[in-house]
Amino acid sequence: MTEQHKQPDGATGHQKGVQTTGHVWDDDIRELDTPLPRWWLYTFYACIVWSVGCWILYPSWPTLQGYTTGVLGVSDRSAVAKKLVTAKQSQETFRKQLASASATDVRNNPELLRFAMASGGASFQTNCAPCHGRGAQGFVGYPNLNDDDWLWGGTLEDIETTLLYGIRSGHAEARVSQMPRYGVDGILSPAEIDAVTNYVRGLTKLPVDQALAQKGSTIFAEQCSSCHGENGHGNAELGAPNLADAIWLYGSSPEAVTQTIVAGRNGVMPGWIDRLDRATIKSLAVYVHSLGGGQLASNATKQ
């Protein structure tokens, strides 16, 4: 480190005790070779010693076969690996409890419930969000899991069964229902379908042709009430939706309702029994139940 020192007029010497570098400008500006402060030098030497120690103790130098491991054999990778092993061992304890406990028991165990919620939330994003949305808000044809409308019941046991076997998934234990294709199969005429459309939309106070709705009520009682109930409130045992709650899976427009009656709606949900372990499915059931619309007791008339 150097500094420039301008001598007084007529001076030919230099600062006492400081050598010059020999560089002179304009005959009177000399570049001094000022020594570094001792504290700076000692800090620099200490850093060198520290770095040598780190080279010896910790992984540092790359080699053709990988890298030097150091005397202590410590690395971030090995530390993370140990933490993962510890975490998995801790999780395994909870997973065993989760697999053997009933869904209700999980809800009554605060520690196990916290684990199930965390595990279920992560599993939901991986396995369920592509259809139901990251916030479980659903889309057209995919149920909103945040409300209190449940096609097959919203108790913990109901949700777990739906997750295990799916809906019309092909599994022997899957939930199965079949809505007739009233238009495609010629069960009802276009005029009759129009009348039923008006009646069904009227159940949720949507604007309809009252004369057609009156005709549709008779047709509904003959063709639809056996599944949807006399007042259209649905039947969870059959997976028949509540038609009077203003919640529409495929939309409430005249065109959407008509299409449902004409061709039927028979969506498919996969069963997860062969894809996920029981602990994960149970944690998913607990998580979905907690989203805002889970039922505490069975309600066969709830969608």
Side-chain angles (χ1 to χ4, degrees):
M1 180 179 295
T2 62
E3 64 180 19
Q4 293 179 342
H5 177 71
K6 187 173 182 179
Q7 303 292 335
D9 292 342
T12 58
H14 56 77
Q15 185 174 333
K16 184 178 180 180
V18 178
Q19 298 295 323
T20 66
T21 63
H23 299 157
V24 180
W25 292 271
D26 296 333
D27 294 330
D28 59 357
I29 300 177
R30 301 172 183 274
E31 184 178 27
L32 301 181
D33 188 11
T34 305
L36 293 169
R38 290 185 179 277
W39 67 264
W40 194 98
L41 286 173
Y42 292 152
T43 302
F44 177 67
Y45 296 148
C47 289
I48 294 175
V49 174
W50 177 267
S51 65
V52 171
C54 288
W55 292 344
I56 297 172
L57 297 175
Y58 297 97
S60 55
W61 293 99
T63 66
L64 294 177
Q65 302 299 323
Y67 57 90
T68 58
T69 59
V71 174
L72 298 180
V74 176
S75 69
D76 288 342
R77 180 176 296 179
S78 62
V80 170
K82 290 179 180 178
K83 289 181 180 180
L84 287 175
V85 170
T86 302
K88 287 182 178 179
Q89 291 174 344
S90 176
Q91 289 180 5
E92 193 60 31
T93 300
F94 283 113
R95 290 180 65 81
K96 288 180 179 178
Q97 294 180 35
L98 197 59
S100 60
S102 69
T104 302
D105 291 337
V106 175
R107 293 286 296 179
N108 295 330
N109 184 328
E111 192 174 33
L112 195 56
L113 176 60
R114 284 194 296 270
F115 176 79
M117 288 291 292
S119 175
S123 297
F124 184 92
Q125 297 303 322
T126 302
N127 300 289
C128 312
C131 289
H132 292 282
R134 292 184 61 83
Q137 75 279 6
F139 303 99
V140 174
Y142 300 95
N144 178 357
L145 302 178
N146 294 298
D147 58 26
D148 62 352
D149 239 32
W150 300 90
L151 284 171
W152 297 93
T155 67
L156 281 165
E157 292 75 15
D158 291 333
I159 296 171
E160 185 177 5
T161 298
T162 300
L163 286 166
L164 282 169
Y165 307 117
I167 300 171
R168 290 178 283 274
S169 64
H171 192 280
E173 299 296 325
R175 299 189 183 280
V176 178
S177 64
Q178 183 76 35
M179 177 176 175
R181 303 182 302 173
Y182 288 101
V184 173
D185 295 333
I187 301 172
L188 296 177
S189 67
E192 290 173 320
I193 291 174
D194 190 25
V196 174
T197 296
N198 277 269
Y199 173 74
V200 170
R201 295 183 75 246
L203 291 174
T204 56
K205 311 303 180 184
L206 292 172
V208 296
D209 185 314
Q210 293 299 330
L212 284 175
Q214 184 63 37
K215 294 179 181 178
S217 65
T218 302
I219 302 171
F220 183 91
E222 295 173 351
Q223 298 288 341
C224 314
S225 62
S226 59
C227 291
H228 292 283
E230 182 178 349
N231 298 314
H233 289 169
N235 186 340
E237 293 182 355
L238 302 175
N242 181 348
L243 303 177
D245 60 3
I247 297 177
W248 301 85
L249 184 57
Y250 291 93
S252 62
S253 68
E255 295 77 14
V257 177
T258 296
Q259 180 60 26
T260 297
I261 300 171
V262 168
R265 301 287 192 182
N266 296 298
V268 174
M269 173 183 165
W272 296 95
I273 189 170
D274 295 325
R275 309 183 189 194
L276 301 175
D277 57 65
R278 295 301 291 265
T280 300
I281 291 174
K282 196 161 296 181
S283 65
L284 275 170
V286 172
Y287 175 77
V288 171
H289 185 271
S290 73
L291 289 176
Q295 299 169 357
L296 297 179
S298 180
N299 185 347
T301 63
K302 201 72 176 174
Q303 182 179 349

